[in-house]
Amino acid sequence: SLVYGPKAQVNELAESIPGSKWDKELELFNIPCDADLPDLELSMGGKAFTVPAHDLGFMSEDDDGEHVCFLTVSVMDFGGGAGEGFDATDAELGAKASREIQDLVGGLPGADNIWLVGDVFLRQQYCIFDYDNQQFGLAKLKDELKGESF
Protein backbone atom coordinates (compact mmCIF):
# COMPACT_ATOMS: atom_id res chain seq x y z
CA SER A 1 0.00 0.00 0.00
CA LEU A 2 1.05 3.55 -0.66
CA VAL A 3 1.66 6.59 1.51
CA TYR A 4 -1.04 9.27 1.22
CA GLY A 5 -0.61 12.84 2.37
CA PRO A 6 -1.97 16.38 2.10
CA LYS A 7 -2.21 17.65 -1.46
CA ALA A 8 0.12 20.65 -1.07
CA GLN A 9 2.88 18.59 0.55
CA VAL A 10 2.61 15.68 -1.87
CA ASN A 11 2.60 18.07 -4.84
CA GLU A 12 5.71 19.76 -3.45
CA LEU A 13 7.45 16.38 -3.25
CA ALA A 14 6.38 15.46 -6.80
CA GLU A 15 7.46 18.87 -8.16
CA SER A 16 10.94 18.26 -6.74
CA ILE A 17 11.25 15.26 -9.12
CA PRO A 18 12.04 16.46 -12.66
CA GLY A 19 9.69 14.89 -15.21
CA SER A 20 6.97 13.86 -12.75
CA LYS A 21 3.42 14.04 -14.11
CA TRP A 22 0.04 13.42 -12.48
CA ASP A 23 -1.81 10.43 -13.97
CA LYS A 24 -5.53 11.24 -13.52
CA GLU A 25 -6.66 7.70 -14.26
CA LEU A 26 -4.38 6.02 -11.72
CA GLU A 27 -4.28 8.97 -9.32
CA LEU A 28 -0.52 8.56 -9.03
CA PHE A 29 2.48 10.57 -10.09
CA ASN A 30 4.27 9.05 -13.08
CA ILE A 31 8.01 9.56 -12.65
CA PRO A 32 11.04 8.84 -14.83
CA CYS A 33 12.38 5.39 -13.97
CA ASP A 34 15.86 6.85 -13.53
CA ALA A 35 14.63 9.68 -11.27
CA ASP A 36 16.83 10.75 -8.39
CA LEU A 37 14.27 10.52 -5.59
CA PRO A 38 14.65 12.24 -2.22
CA ASP A 39 14.09 10.50 1.11
CA LEU A 40 10.73 11.26 2.72
CA GLU A 41 10.84 12.24 6.38
CA LEU A 42 7.70 12.06 8.50
CA SER A 43 7.47 13.23 12.09
CA MET A 44 5.28 11.49 14.66
CA GLY A 45 5.24 12.32 18.31
CA GLY A 46 8.22 14.60 17.80
CA LYS A 47 10.34 11.78 16.36
CA ALA A 48 11.51 11.67 12.74
CA PHE A 49 10.98 8.58 10.60
CA THR A 50 12.45 8.21 7.14
CA VAL A 51 11.16 6.42 4.08
CA PRO A 52 14.30 5.97 1.97
CA ALA A 53 14.35 7.12 -1.63
CA HIS A 54 14.57 3.54 -2.96
CA ASP A 55 11.09 2.86 -1.52
CA LEU A 56 9.45 5.94 -3.05
CA GLY A 57 9.08 4.54 -6.54
CA PHE A 58 7.80 1.39 -8.17
CA MET A 59 8.08 0.03 -11.68
CA SER A 60 5.32 -1.50 -13.76
CA GLU A 61 4.61 -2.21 -17.42
CA ASP A 62 2.17 -0.37 -19.65
CA ASP A 63 -0.09 -2.04 -22.23
CA ASP A 64 2.78 -2.07 -24.73
CA GLY A 65 5.16 -3.83 -22.33
CA GLU A 66 7.17 -0.66 -21.71
CA HIS A 67 8.47 0.08 -18.22
CA VAL A 68 6.70 2.91 -16.41
CA CYS A 69 7.44 4.14 -12.92
CA PHE A 70 5.30 5.79 -10.26
CA LEU A 71 5.77 7.62 -6.99
CA THR A 72 4.56 5.57 -3.99
CA VAL A 73 3.25 8.76 -2.37
CA SER A 74 -0.12 10.10 -3.48
CA VAL A 75 -2.66 12.75 -2.52
CA MET A 76 -5.19 12.02 0.20
CA ASP A 77 -8.35 13.97 -0.52
CA PHE A 78 -10.66 14.42 2.47
CA GLY A 79 -14.12 15.37 1.30
CA GLY A 80 -12.99 16.51 -2.12
CA GLY A 81 -15.89 14.75 -3.79
CA ALA A 82 -15.78 12.28 -6.63
CA GLY A 83 -13.10 12.67 -9.25
CA GLU A 84 -13.34 11.72 -12.88
CA GLY A 85 -14.05 8.04 -13.38
CA PHE A 86 -15.97 7.57 -10.15
CA ASP A 87 -19.61 6.59 -10.08
CA ALA A 88 -22.17 7.78 -7.50
CA THR A 89 -21.59 4.77 -5.26
CA ASP A 90 -17.85 5.46 -5.12
CA ALA A 91 -18.54 9.12 -4.40
CA GLU A 92 -20.98 8.29 -1.61
CA LEU A 93 -18.57 5.81 -0.02
CA GLY A 94 -15.70 8.26 -0.32
CA ALA A 95 -17.72 11.07 1.22
CA LYS A 96 -18.82 8.81 4.10
CA ALA A 97 -15.24 7.67 4.76
CA SER A 98 -14.03 11.28 4.65
CA ARG A 99 -16.69 12.36 7.18
CA GLU A 100 -15.80 9.50 9.52
CA ILE A 101 -12.07 10.26 9.36
CA GLN A 102 -12.71 13.97 9.87
CA ASP A 103 -14.89 13.15 12.89
CA LEU A 104 -12.02 11.15 14.36
CA VAL A 105 -9.27 13.71 13.78
CA GLY A 106 -11.08 16.97 13.08
CA GLY A 107 -10.54 18.50 16.50
CA LEU A 108 -6.98 17.30 16.92
CA PRO A 109 -4.03 19.65 16.56
CA GLY A 110 -2.45 19.12 13.16
CA ALA A 111 -5.59 17.58 11.65
CA ASP A 112 -4.73 19.36 8.39
CA ASN A 113 -1.39 17.50 8.30
CA ILE A 114 -2.60 13.90 8.28
CA TRP A 115 -0.67 11.20 6.48
CA LEU A 116 -1.88 7.67 5.87
CA VAL A 117 1.17 5.44 5.94
CA GLY A 118 1.11 2.08 4.23
CA ASP A 119 3.64 -0.69 3.94
CA VAL A 120 5.98 1.66 2.04
CA PHE A 121 6.51 3.30 5.45
CA LEU A 122 5.73 0.44 7.83
CA ARG A 123 8.20 -2.05 6.34
CA GLN A 124 10.99 0.29 7.46
CA GLN A 125 9.89 -0.03 11.08
CA TYR A 126 9.29 -2.65 13.70
CA CYS A 127 5.59 -2.17 14.42
CA ILE A 128 4.14 -2.92 17.84
CA PHE A 129 0.39 -3.41 18.10
CA ASP A 130 -0.60 -3.50 21.79
CA TYR A 131 -4.30 -4.30 21.68
CA ASP A 132 -4.66 -4.77 25.46
CA ASN A 133 -3.44 -1.23 26.16
CA GLN A 134 -4.76 0.25 22.90
CA GLN A 135 -1.34 1.49 21.86
CA PHE A 136 0.72 1.44 18.72
CA GLY A 137 4.47 1.80 18.68
CA LEU A 138 7.33 1.99 16.20
CA ALA A 139 10.97 1.08 16.50
CA LYS A 140 13.67 1.33 13.86
CA LEU A 141 14.70 -1.89 12.11
CA LYS A 142 18.33 -2.89 11.98
CA ASP A 143 19.84 -1.91 8.63
CA GLU A 144 20.41 -5.53 7.59
CA LEU A 145 16.66 -6.17 7.86
CA LYS A 146 15.80 -3.42 5.40
CA GLY A 147 15.64 -4.27 1.70
CA GLU A 148 15.79 -2.18 -1.45
CA SER A 149 12.76 -2.28 -3.69
CA PHE A 150 13.26 0.29 -6.48
Side-chain angles (χ1 to χ4, degrees):
S1 57
L2 303 176
V3 172
Y4 292 90
K7 184 176 185 175
Q9 293 175 43
V10 173
N11 284 344
E12 183 178 332
L13 171 65
E15 288 170 4
S16 75
I17 303 166
S20 68
K21 296 177 197 149
W22 179 249
D23 184 313
K24 279 184 176 183
E25 184 178 332
L26 297 175
E27 295 188 356
L28 294 172
F29 284 97
N30 178 280
I31 58 173
C33 291
D34 62 351
D36 184 20
L37 302 176
D39 289 342
L40 174 64
E41 186 173 290
L42 301 172
S43 178
M44 288 181 254
K47 185 169 176 148
F49 294 90
T50 300
V51 179
H54 62 76
D55 279 337
L56 291 181
F58 72 93
M59 185 181 295
S60 186
E61 286 187 5
D62 64 14
D63 294 337
D64 298 323
E66 297 291 321
H67 287 120
V68 291
C69 295
F70 297 94
L71 189 62
T72 60
V73 180
S74 193
V75 174
M76 180 166 39
D77 184 15
F78 282 131
E84 291 180 33
F86 291 96
D87 64 23
T89 305
D90 291 332
E92 291 164 8
L93 288 174
K96 181 179 181 193
S98 292
R99 283 192 304 275
E100 289 176 1
I101 292 170
Q102 286 290 20
D103 288 346
L104 287 172
V105 300
L108 297 175
D112 59 341
N113 188 29
I114 295 172
W115 289 75
L116 176 66
V117 296
D119 63 54
V120 168
F121 171 81
L122 293 173
R123 71 173 157 237
Q124 299 299 321
Q125 316 301 324
Y126 179 76
C127 302
I128 305 140
F129 298 93
D130 182 350
Y131 292 105
D132 292 336
N133 295 307
Q134 298 182 346
Q135 297 180 84
F136 172 75
L138 296 171
K140 291 189 178 192
L141 285 178
K142 289 184 176 182
D143 285 339
E144 61 266 19
L145 296 175
K146 297 178 183 178
E148 294 193 19
S149 63
F150 186 63

